[in-house]
Coordinates of all heavy atoms in Angstrom, one line a residue:
E167 N -22.4 31.4 3.7 CA -23.1 30.6 2.7 C -24.4 30.2 3.3 O -25.5 30.1 2.6 CB -22.3 29.4 2.2 CG -21.1 29.8 1.3 CD -20.4 28.6 0.8 OE1 -21.1 27.8 0.2 OE2 -19.2 28.4 1.0
T168 N -24.4 29.8 4.6 CA -25.6 29.5 5.3 C -25.9 30.5 6.4 O -25.1 30.7 7.2 CB -25.5 28.1 5.9 OG1 -25.2 27.1 4.9 CG2 -26.8 27.6 6.6
I169 N -27.1 31.1 6.4 CA -27.4 32.0 7.4 C -28.0 31.3 8.6 O -28.9 30.5 8.5 CB -28.5 33.0 6.9 CG1 -27.9 33.9 5.7 CG2 -29.0 34.0 8.0 CD1 -28.9 34.8 5.0
T170 N -27.3 31.6 9.8 CA -27.7 30.9 11.0 C -28.4 31.7 12.1 O -28.5 31.3 13.2 CB -26.4 30.3 11.6 OG1 -25.5 31.3 11.9 CG2 -25.8 29.2 10.6
L171 N -28.7 32.9 11.7 CA -29.3 33.9 12.7 C -30.6 33.4 13.2 O -31.6 33.2 12.4 CB -29.5 35.3 12.0 CG -30.1 36.4 12.9 CD1 -29.1 36.8 13.9 CD2 -30.4 37.6 12.0
P172 N -30.8 33.3 14.5 CA -32.1 32.9 15.1 C -33.1 34.0 14.8 O -32.8 35.1 14.8 CB -31.8 32.8 16.6 CG -30.3 32.6 16.7 CD -29.7 33.3 15.5
E173 N -34.3 33.6 14.7 CA -35.4 34.5 14.2 C -35.6 35.7 15.2 O -35.8 36.8 14.7 CB -36.7 33.7 14.1 CG -37.8 34.5 13.6 CD -39.1 33.8 13.3 OE1 -39.0 32.5 13.3 OE2 -40.2 34.3 13.1
N174 N -35.5 35.4 16.5 CA -35.7 36.5 17.5 C -34.5 37.0 18.2 O -34.5 37.5 19.3 CB -36.7 36.0 18.5 CG -38.0 35.6 17.9 OD1 -38.6 36.3 17.1 ND2 -38.6 34.5 18.4
H175 N -33.4 36.9 17.4 CA -32.1 37.4 18.0 C -32.1 38.9 18.3 O -32.6 39.7 17.5 CB -31.0 37.0 17.1 CG -29.6 37.5 17.6 ND1 -28.9 36.9 18.7 CD2 -28.8 38.5 17.4 CE1 -27.9 37.5 18.9 NE2 -27.7 38.6 18.2
T176 N -31.6 39.2 19.5 CA -31.5 40.6 19.9 C -30.0 40.9 20.1 O -29.4 40.3 20.9 CB -32.3 40.9 21.1 OG1 -33.7 40.6 20.9 CG2 -32.2 42.5 21.5
P177 N -29.4 41.9 19.4 CA -28.0 42.3 19.6 C -27.8 42.9 21.0 O -28.7 43.5 21.6 CB -27.7 43.1 18.4 CG -29.0 43.8 18.1 CD -30.1 42.8 18.4
K178 N -26.5 42.9 21.4 CA -26.2 43.6 22.6 C -26.4 45.1 22.5 O -26.8 45.7 23.5 CB -24.7 43.4 23.0 CG -24.4 42.0 23.4 CD -22.9 41.8 23.9 CE -22.6 40.5 24.4 NZ -21.2 40.3 24.9
I179 N -26.2 45.6 21.4 CA -26.5 47.1 21.1 C -27.6 47.2 20.1 O -27.4 46.9 18.9 CB -25.2 47.9 20.7 CG1 -24.2 47.8 21.8 CG2 -25.6 49.3 20.4 CD1 -22.9 48.5 21.5
A180 N -28.8 47.5 20.5 CA -29.9 47.7 19.6 C -29.8 49.0 18.8 O -29.3 50.0 19.4 CB -31.3 47.5 20.3
V181 N -30.4 49.1 17.7 CA -30.3 50.3 16.9 C -31.8 50.6 16.4 O -32.4 49.7 15.8 CB -29.4 50.1 15.6 CG1 -29.4 51.5 14.8 CG2 -28.0 49.8 16.1
E182 N -32.2 51.7 16.6 CA -33.6 52.1 16.2 C -33.5 52.9 14.9 O -32.6 53.8 14.8 CB -34.4 52.9 17.2 CG -34.6 52.1 18.5 CD -35.4 52.8 19.6 OE1 -35.7 54.1 19.2 OE2 -35.7 52.3 20.6
G183 N -34.4 52.8 14.0 CA -34.4 53.5 12.8 C -33.5 52.9 11.7 O -32.9 51.9 11.8
S184 N -33.5 53.6 10.6 CA -32.7 53.2 9.4 C -31.2 53.4 9.6 O -30.8 54.4 10.1 CB -33.2 53.9 8.1 OG -34.5 53.6 7.9
F185 N -30.4 52.4 9.2 CA -29.0 52.6 9.4 C -28.2 52.0 8.3 O -28.6 51.1 7.6 CB -28.5 52.2 10.8 CG -28.6 50.6 10.9 CD1 -27.6 49.8 10.7 CD2 -29.8 50.1 11.5 CE1 -27.7 48.4 10.9 CE2 -29.9 48.7 11.6 CZ -28.8 47.9 11.4
L186 N -27.0 52.6 8.1 CA -26.0 52.0 7.2 C -25.0 51.2 8.0 O -24.7 51.6 9.2 CB -25.2 53.1 6.4 CG -26.1 54.1 5.7 CD1 -25.2 55.3 5.1 CD2 -27.0 53.5 4.7
Y187 N -24.4 50.1 7.5 CA -23.5 49.3 8.3 C -22.2 49.0 7.7 O -22.1 48.9 6.4 CB -24.3 47.9 8.6 CG -23.5 47.0 9.5 CD1 -23.2 47.4 10.8 CD2 -23.1 45.7 9.1 CE1 -22.5 46.6 11.6 CE2 -22.5 44.8 9.9 CZ -22.1 45.3 11.2 OH -21.5 44.5 12.1
S188 N -21.2 48.9 8.5 CA -19.9 48.4 8.1 C -19.2 47.7 9.1 O -19.5 47.9 10.3 CB -19.0 49.6 7.5 OG -17.9 49.1 6.7
I189 N -18.2 46.8 8.8 CA -17.5 46.1 9.8 C -16.1 46.0 9.3 O -15.8 45.8 8.1 CB -18.2 44.7 10.0 CG1 -17.5 43.9 11.1 CG2 -18.2 43.9 8.8 CD1 -18.2 42.7 11.6
G190 N -15.1 45.9 10.2 CA -13.7 45.7 9.9 C -12.8 46.2 11.0 O -13.3 46.7 12.0
E191 N -11.5 46.2 10.7 CA -10.5 46.8 11.6 C -10.6 48.3 11.6 O -10.8 48.8 10.5 CB -9.1 46.2 11.3 CG -8.7 46.7 9.9 CD -7.2 46.3 9.6 OE1 -6.4 46.5 10.4 OE2 -7.0 45.8 8.5
F192 N -10.4 48.9 12.7 CA -10.5 50.3 12.8 C -9.1 50.8 12.5 O -8.3 51.1 13.4 CB -11.0 50.8 14.1 CG -12.5 50.7 14.3 CD1 -13.2 49.5 14.0 CD2 -13.3 51.9 14.6 CE1 -14.6 49.5 14.1 CE2 -14.7 51.8 14.7 CZ -15.3 50.6 14.5
S193 N -8.8 51.1 11.2 CA -7.5 51.5 10.8 C -7.7 52.6 9.7 O -8.8 52.6 9.0 CB -6.6 50.4 10.3 OG -7.2 49.8 9.1
A194 N -6.6 53.3 9.4 CA -6.7 54.3 8.3 C -7.1 53.7 7.0 O -7.8 54.3 6.2 CB -5.4 55.0 8.3
R195 N -6.7 52.4 6.8 CA -6.9 51.7 5.5 C -8.4 51.5 5.2 O -8.9 51.6 4.1 CB -6.2 50.4 5.5 CG -6.4 49.6 4.2 CD -5.4 48.4 4.1 NE -5.5 47.5 5.2 CZ -6.2 46.4 5.1 NH1 -7.0 46.1 4.1 NH2 -6.2 45.5 6.1
K196 N -9.2 51.3 6.4 CA -10.6 51.1 6.2 C -11.4 52.3 5.9 O -12.5 52.3 5.5 CB -11.2 50.3 7.4 CG -10.6 49.0 7.7 CD -11.0 48.1 6.5 CE -10.5 46.6 6.8 NZ -10.7 45.7 5.6
N197 N -10.9 53.5 6.3 CA -11.3 54.8 5.8 C -12.8 55.0 6.4 O -13.6 55.7 5.7 CB -11.4 54.8 4.3 CG -11.6 56.2 3.7 OD1 -11.2 57.2 4.3 ND2 -12.0 56.2 2.5
F198 N -13.0 54.6 7.6 CA -14.4 54.8 8.2 C -14.8 56.2 8.4 O -15.9 56.6 8.3 CB -14.5 54.0 9.5 CG -14.6 52.5 9.4 CD1 -14.3 51.7 10.4 CD2 -15.1 51.9 8.3 CE1 -14.4 50.3 10.4 CE2 -15.3 50.6 8.2 CZ -14.9 49.8 9.2
H199 N -13.8 57.0 8.6 CA -14.1 58.5 8.8 C -14.8 59.1 7.6 O -15.6 60.1 7.8 CB -12.9 59.3 9.3 CG -11.8 59.4 8.2 ND1 -11.0 58.5 7.9 CD2 -11.6 60.5 7.4 CE1 -10.2 58.9 6.9 NE2 -10.6 60.1 6.6
S200 N -14.5 58.6 6.4 CA -15.2 59.2 5.3 C -16.6 58.9 5.3 O -17.5 59.7 4.8 CB -14.6 58.6 4.0 OG -14.9 57.2 3.8
L201 N -17.1 57.8 6.0 CA -18.5 57.5 6.1 C -19.1 58.5 7.0 O -20.3 58.8 6.8 CB -18.7 56.1 6.7 CG -18.2 55.0 5.8 CD1 -18.3 53.6 6.5 CD2 -19.0 54.9 4.5
V202 N -18.4 59.0 8.1 CA -19.0 59.9 9.0 C -19.2 61.3 8.3 O -20.2 62.0 8.4 CB -18.0 60.1 10.2 CG1 -18.6 61.1 11.2 CG2 -17.9 58.7 10.9
D203 N -18.2 61.7 7.5 CA -18.3 62.9 6.7 C -19.5 62.8 5.7 O -20.3 63.7 5.7 CB -17.1 63.2 5.8 CG -15.9 63.6 6.6 OD1 -16.1 64.3 7.6 OD2 -14.7 63.3 6.2
M204 N -19.7 61.7 5.2 CA -20.9 61.4 4.3 C -22.2 61.5 5.1 O -23.2 62.0 4.6 CB -20.8 60.1 3.6 CG -21.9 59.8 2.6 SD -21.8 58.1 2.0 CE -22.2 57.1 3.5
L205 N -22.2 60.9 6.3 CA -23.4 60.7 7.1 C -24.0 62.1 7.4 O -25.2 62.3 7.5 CB -23.1 60.0 8.4 CG -24.3 59.6 9.2 CD1 -25.1 58.5 8.5 CD2 -23.9 59.1 10.6
A206 N -23.1 63.1 7.6 CA -23.6 64.5 7.9 C -24.5 65.0 6.8 O -25.4 65.9 7.0 CB -22.4 65.4 8.0
L207 N -24.5 64.4 5.6 CA -25.3 64.8 4.4 C -26.4 63.8 4.3 O -27.2 64.0 3.3 CB -24.4 64.9 3.2 CG -23.3 65.9 3.3 CD1 -22.4 65.8 2.0 CD2 -23.7 67.3 3.4
L208 N -26.6 62.8 5.1 CA -27.7 61.9 5.0 C -28.4 61.8 6.3 O -28.3 60.8 7.1 CB -27.1 60.5 4.6 CG -26.4 60.3 3.3 CD1 -25.7 59.0 3.2 CD2 -27.4 60.6 2.1
P209 N -29.2 62.9 6.7 CA -29.7 62.9 8.0 C -30.8 61.8 8.3 O -31.1 61.7 9.5 CB -30.4 64.4 8.0 CG -30.6 64.6 6.5 CD -29.5 64.0 5.8
E210 N -31.3 61.1 7.4 CA -32.3 60.1 7.6 C -31.7 58.8 8.1 O -32.4 57.9 8.5 CB -33.1 59.9 6.4 CG -32.4 59.3 5.2 CD -31.8 60.4 4.3 OE1 -31.2 61.4 4.7 OE2 -31.9 60.1 3.0
Y211 N -30.4 58.7 8.1 CA -29.7 57.4 8.5 C -28.8 57.6 9.7 O -28.2 58.7 10.0 CB -28.9 56.9 7.4 CG -29.7 56.6 6.1 CD1 -29.7 57.3 5.0 CD2 -30.5 55.4 6.1 CE1 -30.5 57.0 3.9 CE2 -31.3 55.1 5.1 CZ -31.2 55.9 3.9 OH -32.0 55.5 2.8
K212 N -28.6 56.4 10.4 CA -27.6 56.3 11.4 C -26.5 55.5 10.7 O -26.6 54.9 9.6 CB -28.0 55.6 12.6 CG -29.1 56.5 13.4 CD -29.6 55.7 14.7 CE -30.6 56.5 15.5 NZ -31.1 55.8 16.6

Side-chain angles (χ1 to χ4, degrees):
E167 288 185 57
T168 301
I169 294 173
T170 57
L171 181 66
E173 184 175 347
N174 297 318
H175 178 75
T176 302
K178 287 186 176 180
I179 298 178
V181 182
E182 295 182 0
S184 300
F185 65 93
L186 309 176
Y187 184 57
S188 197
I189 186 171
E191 61 177 313
F192 280 55
S193 66
R195 177 165 64 93
K196 294 300 183 183
N197 198 24
F198 283 159
H199 67 281
S200 70
L201 295 175
V202 179
D203 286 328
M204 177 189 73
L205 191 71
L207 303 171
L208 297 171
E210 63 270 44
Y211 296 107
K212 294 179 180 178

